[in-house]
Amino acid sequence: MAVGPRAIEAAGFPGLGRFARVREWWEQEHVFGYGLILPALLLIVCLVAYPFSMAIYFSLSDYWVGSPGTFIGLQNFRDILGNEIFHQTVYNSFVFTSIAVVFKTVLGLWLAMLLFRTLRFKRLIRGAVLLPWVIPTALSTLAWWWMFDSLYSVVNWTAIRLGIVAPPGPNWLGVTGYAMSAVIAVNVWRGLPFFAVIVLAGLVSIPREYYEAAEVDGASSWGRFRHVTLPLLKPVLAVVILFSTIFTFADFNIVQVLTRGGPVNTTHLFATLAYQQGLVGGNLGQGAAISLFLFPMLAAVVFIQLRYIRKD
Amino acid sequence: MQVGARTRGARIRSAIFGYANIVPFVFFALFPFYYMVITSLKNDTELYNLKAVPFLIQTGVITDHYHYLFFKTDFWTWMKNSLIISVTATAISLVIAILAGYSLARLRFAGVNSFGTAVFITYLVPPTLLFLPLSQVVVWLGISDTIWALIVTYPTFLVPFSTWLLMGYFRTIPREVEECALVDGASRMQTLRKIVLPMAVPGIVCVTLFGFTLTWNEFTYALTFVSQTANKTAVVGVTADLIRGDIYYWGSLMAGAVVASVPIVVVYVLFLDYYVSGLTAGAVKG
């Protein structure tokens, strides 16, 4: 491998010996491999693994902003589990995640199939549809906030003119139930492009012959969808759904901007509640304990990914 | 003849059906942006008039909200901060990810698979799981409340993502090319720099674009680690500082949202195909 340095040494430059030895050592595949991975590894250890262990330590202590706490065992978890707001948050998180992911999956699949069939203005349409995913979520959520305004909501204005609701229309962000639907709507709006684009890639990779064969067999378009498209999309769908589940479950931006967890905590998710308790309220120990509840979901997704999906 | 005509008719019908169905999606996707733009250009009297049609500007386009945003707030400071943070964090992450990605994709050494798995797991960790302890880490590092707090922490989600994406690109480069270079006496680093990197340019462009977008758009850390107005990013500045008490300056708020999105929109329009391919590669190759 190290033809160069050896040639130099052989040519009679003894001063270069040590340099050449270092180089030869560095040129070994495993040394070079570890060397290249070192910066990334350091980063992961110092800024991901270490903070994670600190999150665990915080959650077991009465650590407040500005005052290092003492070890108090599982007290934080006991407090949280006995707390009404936390129960509400657990409920919210599951409602939010399950409904949003179902909508994103169904609409995403439908949108992907429509995109697959559009041939004209293909780039333009794809570009437009993907836009919500690219624009800063916090900023586009501001627009949604304005669209759901209690007095000037454009959604209500339209619904009233169309005779769907009686004036003044629902107070989207101020009333339990409506607020949750609003938050879910924005999440679906933002996450839909992600689903559609990835499922579209899956659709493109399905060989046309399968459809031709199904057509020869006299399968209807629903039959082709059920027996050809869906089974072949399964791996792609599984990956997207897992991805989306974890990032929807851990969402922060939309709720923080739109409702801050209100009204009466009915849209709080783990992340917004942890922010509320840990940073706004200063109780880092309890905040850390709350955010650690995201971990089982993460662990489950990682497990499924590694066990079933990355295998093939 | 009959059959051909029917299939042709069916094809046209199916195309019309497809387009008719895609229109609501396009409308749904674009309406908030349209509404953002027209709100930012409307005068307050019309904006807060319940009788006016909200979809249109009827009493003239005005630029007062932009004027307020540009000259009465710290908007340009936030934009500058965002630019510095995004460019620096993306550049640092790109270098780290190229090295790690190449190592994991190409070299054989003990533990390489475990490292790959570790990167993959980190890739799945949502930022909201770690923001509380990280807020303390930046305090200890003495960079709390500065733009460095974000430059240092953004690589935590950029590096795993970029490494993962680049591994896919590096794997597509034929091994023989590298082996030739090594046999010819090039060092491993030279091979990486002069042979592998030029062949991985699409991947590098992709990672750069995503890095810039993700850091520019980031909200959780930017909101949590920085509270001084002068050090805020554009996204947090607009979201948090343009709202005073119970009175919302909807016009200037929307103006801020529009202008702070412009850099991303420009990059996006220029490199649309890279976004699509990066999105698919990042998620599917996992």
Side-chain angles (χ1 to χ4, degrees):
Chain A
M1 286 288 144
V3 178
R6 259 195 215 128
I8 294 168
E9 224 174 338
F13 295 99
L16 286 173
R18 177 183 286 170
F19 175 72
R21 266 204 303 280
V22 169
R23 231 192 112 171
E24 202 165 336
W25 174 76
W26 177 238
E27 287 296 311
Q28 286 168 281
E29 191 161 353
H30 69 278
V31 177
F32 191 70
Y34 288 123
L36 292 197
I37 213 174
L38 195 65
L41 192 65
L42 276 176
L43 181 90
I44 291 177
V45 168
C46 297
L47 293 173
V48 179
Y50 172 64
F52 181 69
S53 61
M54 286 205 3
I56 296 172
Y57 170 72
F58 281 2
S59 73
L60 300 174
S61 72
D62 55 353
Y63 198 106
W64 285 69
V65 171
S67 77
T70 48
F71 184 81
I72 53 166
L74 293 173
Q75 191 56 45
N76 282 325
F77 289 94
R78 249 173 299 194
D79 290 348
I80 291 169
L81 290 173
N83 186 335
E84 206 58 47
I85 299 176
F86 184 75
H87 298 168
Q88 178 74 46
T89 303
V90 174
Y91 173 77
N92 296 342
S93 299
F94 281 96
V95 169
F96 175 75
T97 309
S98 53
I99 297 181
V101 171
V102 166
F103 268 98
K104 283 188 273 193
T105 311
V106 173
L107 291 176
L109 196 58
W110 177 229
L111 177 57
M113 294 203 296
L114 291 172
L115 289 173
F116 184 58
R117 301 197 330 183
T118 30
L119 299 171
R120 264 172 223 220
F121 312 116
K122 195 159 115 183
R123 255 190 112 223
L124 200 66
I125 292 174
R126 280 178 201 183
V129 163
L130 193 57
L131 205 58
W133 193 81
V134 180
I135 300 293
T137 312
L139 298 180
S140 51
T141 308
L142 285 177
W144 280 98
W145 188 16
W146 172 224
M147 285 162 61
F148 284 132
D149 187 83
S150 57
L151 198 53
Y152 302 102
S153 165
V154 62
V155 179
N156 285 358
W157 190 93
T158 315
I160 291 166
R161 294 303 136 114
L162 292 174
I164 301 170
V165 299
N171 178 0
W172 286 100
L173 303 178
V175 176
T176 308
Y178 283 125
M180 182 54 98
S181 354
V183 170
I184 291 174
V186 180
N187 182 278
V188 171
W189 173 80
R190 201 213 98 107
L192 190 55
F194 176 74
F195 268 78
V197 166
I198 293 171
V199 172
L200 179 62
L203 283 175
V204 172
S205 70
I206 297 177
R208 307 303 307 157
E209 294 83 58
Y210 290 3
Y211 289 106
E212 281 154 22
E215 219 155 330
V216 169
D217 290 347
S220 63
S221 56
W222 170 247
R224 290 199 296 271
F225 173 74
R226 260 219 64 200
H227 299 292
V228 181
T229 315
L230 217 48
L232 289 168
L233 278 183
K234 228 189 232 160
V236 174
L237 274 176
V239 173
V240 194
I241 290 172
L242 284 172
F243 252 77
S244 178
T245 302
I246 176 153
F247 287 106
T248 308
F249 198 65
D251 192 33
F252 175 80
N253 304 1
I254 294 172
V255 171
Q256 184 63 28
V257 173
L258 214 52
T259 64
R260 280 172 212 223
V264 273
N265 308 308
T266 50
T267 54
H268 255 315
L269 304 177
F270 291 109
T272 52
L273 187 66
Y275 176 78
Q276 187 64 36
Q277 296 283 339
L279 285 165
V280 181
N283 191 342
L284 278 175
Q286 221 176 75
I290 294 167
S291 61
L292 277 180
F293 277 88
L294 292 172
F295 185 70
M297 185 60 101
L298 171 69
V301 168
V302 167
F303 177 78
I304 299 172
Q305 284 265 12
L306 293 181
R307 186 73 202 272
Y308 298 103
I309 294 172
R310 273 185 68 198
K311 260 194 170 163
D312 41 74
Chain B
M1 192 61 202
Q2 267 295 2
V3 173
R6 208 166 51 213
T7 41
R8 186 156 169 264
R11 217 180 296 142
I12 292 171
R13 240 178 296 130
S14 130
I16 293 172
F17 174 80
Y19 284 104
N21 274 286
I22 217 158
V23 168
F25 281 104
V26 173
F27 177 81
F28 181 53
L30 295 184
F31 182 73
F33 302 119
Y34 167 74
Y35 201 54
M36 214 186 229
V37 173
I38 62 158
T39 302
S40 71
L41 295 169
K42 247 188 234 185
N43 66 53
D44 280 346
T45 332
E46 190 183 345
L47 207 50
Y48 303 118
N49 176 4
L50 282 169
K51 299 230 159 53
V53 181
F55 300 102
L56 307 167
I57 304 177
Q58 287 164 313
T59 54
V61 171
I62 55 144
T63 52
D64 301 24
H65 300 308
Y66 287 91
H67 193 273
Y68 173 83
L69 177 76
F70 293 165
F71 302 108
K72 302 276 167 59
T73 69
D74 290 318
F75 184 72
W76 292 116
T77 314
W78 302 331
M79 288 292 272
K80 191 190 76 194
N81 291 341
S82 274
L83 195 65
I84 297 173
I85 293 167
S86 298
V87 170
T88 321
T90 306
I92 295 173
S93 308
L94 183 63
V95 173
I96 299 180
I98 286 175
L99 299 178
Y102 177 71
S103 172
L104 293 176
R106 265 299 191 263
L107 302 170
R108 278 156 303 208
F109 52 92
V112 63
N113 288 331
S114 327
F115 286 126
T117 309
V119 169
F120 180 70
I121 292 173
T122 327
Y123 174 27
L124 288 178
V125 172
T128 43
L129 179 63
L130 298 177
F131 74 115
L132 286 175
L134 271 177
S135 74
Q136 296 306 294
V137 170
V138 296
V139 169
W140 296 330
L141 290 173
I143 53 173
S144 168
D145 218 359
T146 69
I147 60 170
W148 286 103
L150 303 179
I151 295 175
V152 168
T153 48
Y154 283 175
T156 56
F157 59 82
L158 279 189
V159 167
F161 167 78
S162 312
T163 305
W164 195 251
L165 208 69
L166 284 172
M167 277 166 72
Y169 281 95
F170 288 141
R171 286 212 181 99
T172 61
I173 298 171
R175 233 176 238 281
E176 294 76 36
V177 188
E178 285 163 64
E179 276 158 12
C180 278
L182 286 172
V183 169
D184 284 349
S187 73
R188 286 187 182 275
M189 203 43 123
Q190 282 166 335
T191 311
L192 170 56
R193 256 187 25 230
K194 300 202 175 131
I195 310 287
V196 177
L197 282 191
M199 294 179 85
V201 166
I204 291 168
V205 173
C206 203
V207 163
T208 311
L209 289 174
F210 271 87
F212 183 75
T213 311
L214 291 174
T215 47
W216 186 278
N217 296 2
E218 209 282 333
F219 182 66
T220 314
Y221 291 173
L223 177 74
T224 314
F225 303 161
V226 177
S227 49
Q228 227 179 90
T229 300
N231 291 338
K232 280 186 177 158
T233 63
V235 170
V236 172
V238 169
T239 313
D241 279 32
L242 290 181
I243 300 162
R244 318 230 159 119
D246 281 340
I247 312 152
Y248 305 125
Y249 294 85
W250 282 111
S252 48
L253 202 58
M254 291 298 108
V258 170
V259 185
S261 305
V262 164
I264 295 299
V265 173
V266 170
V267 174
Y268 174 66
V269 168
L270 292 175
F271 297 97
L272 173 64
D273 299 328
Y274 284 97
Y275 276 92
V276 175
S277 71
L279 197 57
T280 6
V284 176
K285 279 183 188 156

